[in-house]
Amino acid sequence: MSLDDLYRETIMDHNQSPRNRRSLEHPTKTVGLLNPTCGDQLKLDLRVQDGMVVDVGFTGHGCSISMASASMLTEAIKGKSTDEALALARHFKAFLTGTPSPVNLGDLEALQGVSQFPSRVKCATLAHNALEKALSQD
Amino acid sequence: MSLDDLYRETIMDHNQSPRNRRSLEHPTKTVGLLNPTCGDQLKLDLRVQDGMVVDVGFTGHGCSISMASASMLTEAIKGKSTDEALALARHFKAFLTGTPSPVNLGDLEALQGVSQFPSRVKCATLAHNALEKALSQD
Amino acid sequence: MIEPLVDVSRDFPIFNRRINGYPLVYLDSAATSHKPEPVLAAMDQFYRHSNANVLRSVHTLAEEATTAYARARETVSTFIAATDPKEVIFTRGTTESLNLVARSFGDQFLRAGDEIVLSPMEHHSNLVPWQQVAKRTGAVLRYIDLADDGTISIDAVRRVISPKTRIAALSKISNVLGSVNPIVEVADLVHQVGGVMVVDGAQSVPHEPTDVMAMNADFLAFSGHKMCGPTGIGVLWGRAEWLAQMEPIAFGGEMISYVDREMATWAEVPEKFEGGTPNIAGAIGLAAAIDYLTAIGMDKICHHSQALGEHAFDALREISGVSVYGPRRPHAAAVAFTIDGIHPHDIAQVFDSKAIAIRAGHHCAQPLMQWLGVGSTARASFYFYNSSNDIDRLLDAILETKRFFQR
Amino acid sequence: MIEPLVDVSRDFPIFNRRINGYPLVYLDSAATSHKPEPVLAAMDQFYRHSNANVLRSVHTLAEEATTAYARARETVSTFIAATDPKEVIFTRGTTESLNLVARSFGDQFLRAGDEIVLSPMEHHSNLVPWQQVAKRTGAVLRYIDLADDGTISIDAVRRVISPKTRIAALSKISNVLGSVNPIVEVADLVHQVGGVMVVDGAQSVPHEPTDVMAMNADFLAFSGHKMCGPTGIGVLWGRAEWLAQMEPIAFGGEMISYVDREMATWAEVPEKFEGGTPNIAGAIGLAAAIDYLTAIGMDKICHHSQALGEHAFDALREISGVSVYGPRRPHAAAVAFTIDGIHPHDIAQVFDSKAIAIRAGHHCAQPLMQWLGVGSTARASFYFYNSSNDIDRLLDAILETKRFFQR
Ligand SMILES: Cc1ncc(COP(=O)(O)O)c(C=O)c1O
Ligand SMILES: Cc1ncc(COP(=O)(O)O)c(C=O)c1O
């Protein structure tokens, strides 16, 4: 597959201008995750009120795939219920193993090419794993 | 090589009628050795006086090669000086790796065929190793 | 007539060999099995086509190697009916697997006075690690009494299991007696008192269908090289809930998550227990061996192994001056015997002159030799490439050995 | 023009492969090397002709296998100029070797307050085992300060060595910086205070002549898979006087002498440290690899590796936006670099689309990444089958990567 199929415009865009790349002042949940293969780090801050993700931000460093994916995820879940957010993460992970998603993945669909590269799947799902971990804390 | 070349008459004879197969009443040196590969055991008793091996006996259990070799060795060193006994053990071990012995090995020469079977060399030299260990104790 | 289950000369190049002028009769598969063509081909193909380190790089070869290694883990997992491939840890073999449980689980969970239940027939690899962990922790070893034929009765197990039992470690099939131990029942008793069941499957996994859940085990250890796989690869399977709690015992490589100068945190299971570059080609070879065995059918292999073991047992018993050990029925693929007045090493030597390969010695089971009251035994062991013809040649060789040494 | 030292397409089948339409340019030998035909043939031949377990049986196959395994040990011993093959212990690889020293020697000889000297550039495998033994024994880690280019000066070593230094553990060649550490001098200082020198030779033994006595080492660890050998085999060399005193850490199989129900005694070195069936074919493959390397000539390999390393270093430095790490001269066969604003994973991905295999990540050296102030780097590494053409393709790919991400 060609590089352009992996690194789609949308990914390059999120990578160059990441959305929600900041720490929240008063997060209700915070999770830090490492990608042990490459040492990449991601911190996800969430503000959850009445079961809704009212704000979300991420910091850290990583490859274009992991940063773009985090940017896309934060954009997609802001204003959603935590259940919707979790479902999105689950569907996205299944999507990367070839299962079509029943819900609209938005920009995240641009990451489809990653499924060809098992080691990059870890990069593309780092933020989603952080989200799942954050929302399973109680 | 044929079985008859390995199991020479002399070996069969020593195996069936081992010489000096007994514990000494008042040994001056005693060494027990194990052949870890097969679990065989050998105990060698020596009575050394004024640098001479005045009596020697062995007990234990093992294959025909190890028992015959012990029998032959005890016969060969009885009445010899400890230096001569050690030299004999050394020359015999070298003989099994193909080095001709400068001293007469007596019946022990019948063990020549063992050199073809690396794992049996351990059997043939068990008594010799016990002798070396016993005479190096002080 | 019991026939081999495969076309031996096609699948196993080594059987085309002649030794001392005779075709090879290999009766030492309990020590190590031979390797069929597809296993050799799988490893060769890996090195020629996809060789790379795993888990490390993003290039194509590394992706292929990582995928092949992960698939090998899945193959093992399916073969032993594990619930999750993550429960499969690759080791060098049974010995390393058992040492890993003893050191990691044992050092962490054993307290002074806790009891470890063993049998006197255990291979040193399932015995000395427990002696050593007992020494380190103050735990105590309790040995199950064997019946006269070397078998283990549930009553004998009941007598040694107590509320202090924390671990029972038992072979599924004895490498000397050919006996089959009642793991499920022992595991039940152990679980009732809150202990864990460690199974040495070195001789069982190659010879019978394995289902770790049905077996009621907490840990299972086995070696690739005894089941048509290469040397240098083996498995520790453990229940996820235990593995998650256990500390690793070897450090470095891909088993870490975060490291700084002063401390480190660990990766998830199974990587946590696989520090350093693993035997990648070995895992791939083991998976090919499993595919090969599965194609034959583990049920058929089990039936064949037992048929040969029982046939050999019965035939050897008929020869005067020969003692055979272990139970008559069921009797698995290893038969230990002695001949009056002839040392096992000498038996093996005469056999070798006729190209019959058996093992002589204590079979890494000295406490069992002490129990049997012998220094060592001869042992013939079988696999699906053997036939009852091989047993006929074994019997002829015994007669010849007696003639040779009793002349 | 720096040419490969062998006929690559004849000796290394994998180089006949095309990836994404391009011929493979393999620049990841520091992770694992490729395997030449003679190594694959030696292992295949063993399985086809002499497969048996070692040290156990007296039959012909077992004698052949035992002899081949012993000869492999002698080959290793000669290759590193050890005084006695008994000093060579076969392990799975560098990681297991270093863990063995740390646990056996460390747990036995370290007391609270003793010091272990390390460098911040160590691979996790030569770092985390020492953190852990320090935790168990109360020993303390002391890190050598690196110079700006990542090198180690003797003065910096002097500052951390004290009468309390019991162990210094250092890589001979860094797998990231390509720097060559002054082992002989460090060993001298350590010996003066009564400590021992542990050398991580994972990157040096494949690339330069090794003489353990001249190196002044007490222990040396290395991996077969990085020097044309198979996966799953490695070596711990140790001085006989230390090995004789050390306790084994894995129990069972042929490492015992006597066992009863309550206690066990150990076999002699090296068996004492090799519990369980070893990776027999792996050892034979490693010996074949050593024969292959020796035929090329380790001096020539060393010269070639360094020539490529230095050429790559110089060429990369010329490219704007590229940072290269480690010293300029001498620079061994690994070159780490980053490109401003482009993550190493993304670099490796673009490279792979052109069939250029490099590694991106922390290279199992997180403390070094922390010292360098980067999360990860790209790394190109070389072996005698690489040429300066490969470096040309690397340079082209860097320009292309910059174009791709900076469009
Ligand atoms: C019952 C049993 N347990 C453990 C082992 C040890 O296996 P390995 O030498 O492959 O570690 C063996 C084989 O020798 C065995 O038969
Ligand atoms: C310097 C160094 N030490 C240790 C290791 C670990 O070697 P292995 O993974 O073969 O155990 C490596 C290779 O990854 C290395 O480069």
Side-chain angles (χ1 to χ4, degrees):
Chain A
M1 88 175 259
S2 85
L3 276 185
D4 292 320
D5 282 341
L6 174 62
Y7 293 111
R8 303 238 178 106
E9 278 304 330
T10 323
I11 297 177
M12 301 301 256
D13 174 50
H14 276 271
N15 189 37
Q16 268 147 38
S17 334
R19 331 290 197 256
N20 304 306
R21 184 163 188 163
R22 60 195 163 88
S23 290
L24 299 193
E25 301 239 315
H26 302 291
T28 58
K29 317 251 181 196
T30 291
V31 159
L33 270 196
L34 284 176
N35 182 345
T37 319
C38 52
D40 288 351
Q41 299 178 8
L42 182 91
K43 182 164 76 70
L44 191 71
D45 288 341
L46 291 163
R47 226 148 68 78
V48 175
Q49 271 168 6
D50 304 328
M52 301 294 286
V53 178
V54 295
D55 202 2
V56 54
F58 77 99
T59 52
H61 56 86
C63 64
S64 58
I65 302 291
S66 69
M67 292 296 109
S69 174
S71 167
M72 293 165 175
L73 176 71
T74 55
E75 206 173 45
I77 64 172
K78 206 191 286 191
K80 292 244 165 73
S81 73
T82 55
D83 286 349
E84 285 170 315
L86 282 171
L88 183 79
R90 199 173 59 245
H91 291 310
F92 175 69
K93 286 161 79 172
F95 170 72
L96 288 190
T97 64
T99 315
S101 172
V103 305
N104 182 1
L105 294 172
D107 282 0
L108 286 165
E109 283 194 15
L111 288 161
Q112 177 159 32
V114 171
S115 61
Q116 303 297 309
F117 302 93
S119 67
R120 303 306 294 276
V121 169
K122 285 186 208 156
C123 309
T125 55
L126 190 61
H128 300 74
N129 289 332
L131 177 73
E132 289 180 338
K133 205 165 168 194
L135 294 182
S136 69
Q137 294 171 346
D138 259 316
Chain B
M1 93 173 256
S2 86
L3 275 185
D4 292 321
D5 282 341
L6 175 62
Y7 292 110
R8 304 242 179 102
E9 278 305 330
T10 323
I11 297 177
M12 300 303 254
D13 174 48
H14 276 272
N15 188 37
Q16 266 148 38
S17 333
R19 330 294 196 255
N20 304 307
R21 184 162 187 161
R22 61 195 162 85
S23 290
L24 299 193
E25 300 238 317
H26 302 290
T28 57
K29 318 251 181 196
T30 290
V31 158
L33 269 196
L34 285 175
N35 182 345
T37 320
C38 51
D40 288 351
Q41 298 178 9
L42 181 90
K43 182 165 76 69
L44 190 72
D45 288 340
L46 291 162
R47 225 147 70 77
V48 175
Q49 271 169 5
D50 304 328
M52 302 293 287
V53 178
V54 296
D55 201 2
V56 54
F58 77 99
T59 52
H61 56 86
C63 64
S64 59
I65 302 291
S66 70
M67 292 295 109
S69 175
S71 167
M72 292 166 175
L73 177 71
T74 55
E75 208 173 45
I77 62 171
K78 207 192 284 189
K80 293 247 166 71
S81 73
T82 55
D83 285 349
E84 285 169 315
L86 281 172
L88 184 81
R90 199 174 59 245
H91 291 310
F92 174 70
K93 285 161 79 173
F95 170 72
L96 288 190
T97 64
T99 315
S101 173
V103 306
N104 182 1
L105 294 172
D107 282 0
L108 286 165
E109 281 193 16
L111 288 161
Q112 178 159 33
V114 170
S115 61
Q116 303 297 309
F117 302 94
S119 67
R120 303 308 294 275
V121 168
K122 284 187 207 156
C123 309
T125 55
L126 190 60
H128 300 73
N129 289 332
L131 177 74
E132 290 180 338
K133 203 165 170 192
L135 294 183
S136 68
Q137 292 172 347
D138 260 315
Chain C
M1 175 72 190
I2 305 166
E3 303 273 9
L5 296 182
V6 295
D7 180 340
V8 175
S9 65
R10 182 198 60 192
D11 288 3
F12 290 88
I14 205 165
F15 281 108
N16 299 319
R17 205 178 147 178
R18 295 179 81 83
I19 288 172
N20 298 319
Y22 300 90
L24 170 64
V25 176
Y26 187 75
L27 303 178
D28 197 19
S29 291
T32 201
S33 73
H34 287 309
K35 325 301 176 199
E37 286 285 357
V39 169
L40 302 181
M43 293 191 287
D44 212 56
Q45 172 67 5
F46 170 70
Y47 283 129
R48 281 166 197 278
H49 195 73
S50 304
N51 176 65
N53 213 323
V54 292
L55 303 175
R56 299 190 178 205
S57 310
V58 303
H59 56 77
T60 300
L61 297 182
E63 294 278 14
E64 289 176 4
T66 303
T67 303
Y69 186 64
R71 204 171 289 154
R73 201 187 300 280
E74 284 161 22
T75 301
V76 171
S77 175
T78 305
F79 186 65
I80 61 173
T83 42
D84 190 335
K86 289 198 166 67
E87 297 183 324
V88 170
I89 298 161
F90 284 119
T91 65
R92 180 166 41 243
T94 308
T95 303
E96 188 182 4
S97 298
L98 292 167
N99 274 277
L100 174 50
V101 191
R103 193 178 288 274
S104 174
F105 184 91
D107 283 17
Q108 202 170 332
F109 292 109
L110 286 173
R111 301 284 167 266
D114 284 353
E115 295 180 353
I116 303 169
V117 168
L118 299 172
S119 94
M121 79 177 79
E122 296 313 306
H123 190 283
H124 296 158
S125 297
N126 195 30
L127 200 150
V128 187
W130 303 113
Q131 287 182 347
Q132 293 290 316
V133 72
K135 223 170 162 178
R136 293 194 298 271
T137 60
V140 178
L141 305 184
R142 299 285 311 266
Y143 284 94
I144 302 167
D145 266 335
L146 301 183
D148 287 348
D149 63 355
T151 54
I152 289 178
S153 74
I154 296 303
D155 275 348
V157 178
R158 275 214 184 83
R159 282 196 294 276
V160 294
I161 292 210
S162 85
K164 294 191 201 149
T165 306
R166 201 75 194 92
I167 294 171
L170 208 58
S171 47
K172 177 78 205 293
I173 291 180
S174 160
N175 64 321
V176 180
L177 300 173
S179 51
V180 183
N181 290 323
I183 297 294
V184 182
E185 293 82 357
V186 177
D188 254 346
L189 293 174
V190 174
H191 288 153
Q192 279 168 31
V193 296
V196 300
M197 183 76 220
V198 179
V199 180
D200 175 352
Q203 298 295 338
S204 73
V205 176
H207 287 277
E208 59 178 31
T210 299
D211 180 329
V212 285
M213 300 314 281
M215 195 189 253
N216 221 342
D218 295 283
F219 297 96
L220 172 72
F222 56 99
S223 301
H225 69 94
K226 295 185 201 282
M227 51 192 284
C228 293
T231 53
I233 191 80
V235 170
L236 175 66
W237 168 86
R239 286 191 192 253
E241 68 232 53
W242 290 124
L243 295 178
Q245 293 176 60
M246 284 157 57
E247 281 293 304
I249 64 165
F251 309 94
E254 302 298 327
M255 58 73 66
I256 56 86
S257 170
Y258 170 83
V259 182
D260 64 24
R261 293 191 182 196
E262 304 309 326
M263 58 81 76
T265 61
W266 316 136
E268 300 288 309
V269 170
E271 282 79 19
K272 180 169 76 171
F273 294 107
E274 292 183 5
T277 301
N279 188 351
I280 306 165
I284 290 167
L286 173 56
I290 288 176
D291 289 341
Y292 180 83
L293 295 175
T294 306
I296 301 172
M298 289 309 295
D299 279 319
K300 275 168 79 179
I301 290 174
C302 182
H303 183 80
H304 178 268
S305 291
Q306 207 156 305
L308 284 178
E310 294 176 356
H311 176 54
F313 184 93
D314 289 346
L316 284 165
R317 267 219 311 194
E318 297 296 314
I319 307 178
S320 80
V322 171
S323 305
V324 204
Y325 303 95
R328 187 164 174 248
R329 295 278 182 282
H331 198 105
V335 180
F337 63 95
T338 49
I339 308 178
D340 290 351
I342 308 178
H343 189 278
H345 261 196
D346 293 318
I347 301 174
Q349 194 80 55
V350 176
F351 277 38
D352 183 57
S353 71
K354 305 283 173 208
I356 304 172
I358 61 164
R359 189 174 171 200
H362 53 60
H363 316 293
C364 297
Q366 289 184 19
L368 180 60
M369 297 296 118
Q370 292 149 15
W371 184 84
L372 292 172
V374 297
S376 59
T377 76
R379 178 188 71 188
S381 57
F382 314 106
Y383 213 6
F384 58 85
Y385 38 63
N386 292 118
S387 69
S388 52
N389 274 345
D390 296 340
I391 295 177
D392 294 342
R393 293 197 49 201
L394 170 77
L395 299 173
D396 291 345
I398 289 184
L399 300 181
E400 166 136 4
T401 307
K402 288 176 63 176
R403 272 197 303 276
F404 186 81
F405 281 100
Q406 286 156 6
R407 56 191 161 168
Chain D
M1 173 75 190
I2 304 167
E3 303 274 5
L5 297 182
V6 296
D7 179 342
V8 175
S9 64
R10 182 198 62 193
D11 288 3
F12 290 87
I14 204 164
F15 281 108
N16 299 319
R17 204 176 150 180
R18 295 180 82 82
I19 288 172
N20 298 320
Y22 300 90
L24 170 64
V25 176
Y26 187 75
L27 302 178
D28 198 18
S29 291
T32 200
S33 72
H34 288 309
K35 325 301 176 198
E37 285 284 358
V39 169
L40 303 181
M43 294 191 287
D44 212 57
Q45 172 67 5
F46 169 71
Y47 283 129
R48 282 167 196 277
H49 195 73
S50 305
N51 175 64
N53 213 322
V54 291
L55 302 175
R56 300 192 177 205
S57 310
V58 302
H59 58 76
T60 299
L61 296 182
E63 294 278 15
E64 290 176 4
T66 303
T67 303
Y69 186 64
R71 204 170 290 153
R73 201 188 301 280
E74 285 160 22
T75 300
V76 172
S77 174
T78 305
F79 186 65
I80 60 173
T83 43
D84 190 335
K86 289 197 167 67
E87 297 183 325
V88 170
I89 297 161
F90 283 120
T91 64
R92 181 167 39 244
T94 307
T95 302
E96 188 182 3
S97 298
L98 292 167
N99 275 276
L100 174 49
V101 192
R103 193 178 286 274
S104 174
F105 184 91
D107 283 15
Q108 202 169 333
F109 292 108
L110 286 172
R111 301 286 167 266
D114 284 353
E115 295 180 353
I116 303 169
V117 168
L118 299 172
S119 93
M121 78 177 77
E122 296 312 307
H123 190 281
H124 296 157
S125 297
N126 195 30
L127 199 148
V128 187
W130 303 114
Q131 289 183 345
Q132 293 290 317
V133 71
K135 221 169 163 180
R136 292 194 298 271
T137 60
V140 178
L141 304 184
R142 299 285 310 267
Y143 283 93
I144 302 168
D145 264 335
L146 301 183
D148 286 348
D149 64 354
T151 54
I152 290 178
S153 75
I154 297 302
D155 275 348
V157 177
R158 276 215 183 85
R159 282 196 292 277
V160 292
I161 292 211
S162 84
K164 294 191 200 151
T165 306
R166 203 72 195 92
I167 295 171
L170 208 58
S171 48
K172 177 76 204 295
I173 292 181
S174 159
N175 65 321
V176 180
L177 299 175
S179 50
V180 182
N181 290 324
I183 297 294
V184 181
E185 293 81 359
V186 177
D188 254 344
L189 293 174
V190 174
H191 288 152
Q192 279 168 30
V193 297
V196 300
M197 183 75 222
V198 178
V199 180
D200 175 350
Q203 297 296 340
S204 72
V205 176
H207 287 277
E208 59 178 29
T210 299
D211 180 328
V212 285
M213 300 313 281
M215 194 188 255
N216 222 341
D218 295 281
F219 297 96
L220 172 72
F222 56 100
S223 301
H225 69 94
K226 294 186 201 283
M227 52 191 282
C228 294
T231 53
I233 191 80
V235 170
L236 175 66
W237 167 86
R239 285 192 192 253
E241 69 232 52
W242 290 123
L243 295 178
Q245 294 174 59
M246 283 157 57
E247 282 292 304
I249 63 166
F251 308 95
E254 303 298 327
M255 58 71 68
I256 57 86
S257 170
Y258 169 83
V259 182
D260 64 24
R261 293 190 182 195
E262 303 308 328
M263 58 80 76
T265 62
W266 316 137
E268 301 288 310
V269 169
E271 282 78 19
K272 180 169 79 172
F273 294 107
E274 292 182 5
T277 301
N279 187 351
I280 306 166
I284 290 167
L286 173 56
I290 288 176
D291 289 342
Y292 180 82
L293 295 175
T294 305
I296 301 172
M298 290 308 296
D299 279 319
K300 275 168 78 176
I301 290 174
C302 181
H303 183 80
H304 178 268
S305 291
Q306 209 157 305
L308 285 178
E310 294 175 357
H311 175 53
F313 185 92
D314 289 346
L316 285 165
R317 266 214 317 190
E318 297 296 312
I319 307 178
S320 81
V322 170
S323 305
V324 205
Y325 304 94
R328 186 164 174 245
R329 296 277 183 281
H331 198 105
V335 180
F337 63 95
T338 50
I339 308 178
D340 290 351
I342 307 178
H343 190 277
H345 260 194
D346 294 318
I347 301 174
Q349 194 80 55
V350 176
F351 277 37
D352 183 57
S353 73
K354 304 285 173 206
I356 304 172
I358 60 163
R359 190 173 171 201
H362 53 60
H363 317 292
C364 296
Q366 290 183 18
L368 179 60
M369 297 297 118
Q370 292 150 12
W371 184 83
L372 291 171
V374 298
S376 57
T377 77
R379 179 189 69 189
S381 57
F382 314 105
Y383 213 4
F384 58 84
Y385 39 63
N386 291 117
S387 69
S388 51
N389 274 345
D390 296 341
I391 295 175
D392 293 343
R393 293 197 48 201
L394 170 77
L395 300 174
D396 290 345
I398 289 182
L399 300 181
E400 166 134 5
T401 307
K402 287 176 64 175
R403 272 196 301 275
F404 186 82
F405 281 99
Q406 286 157 5
R407 57 191 158 165

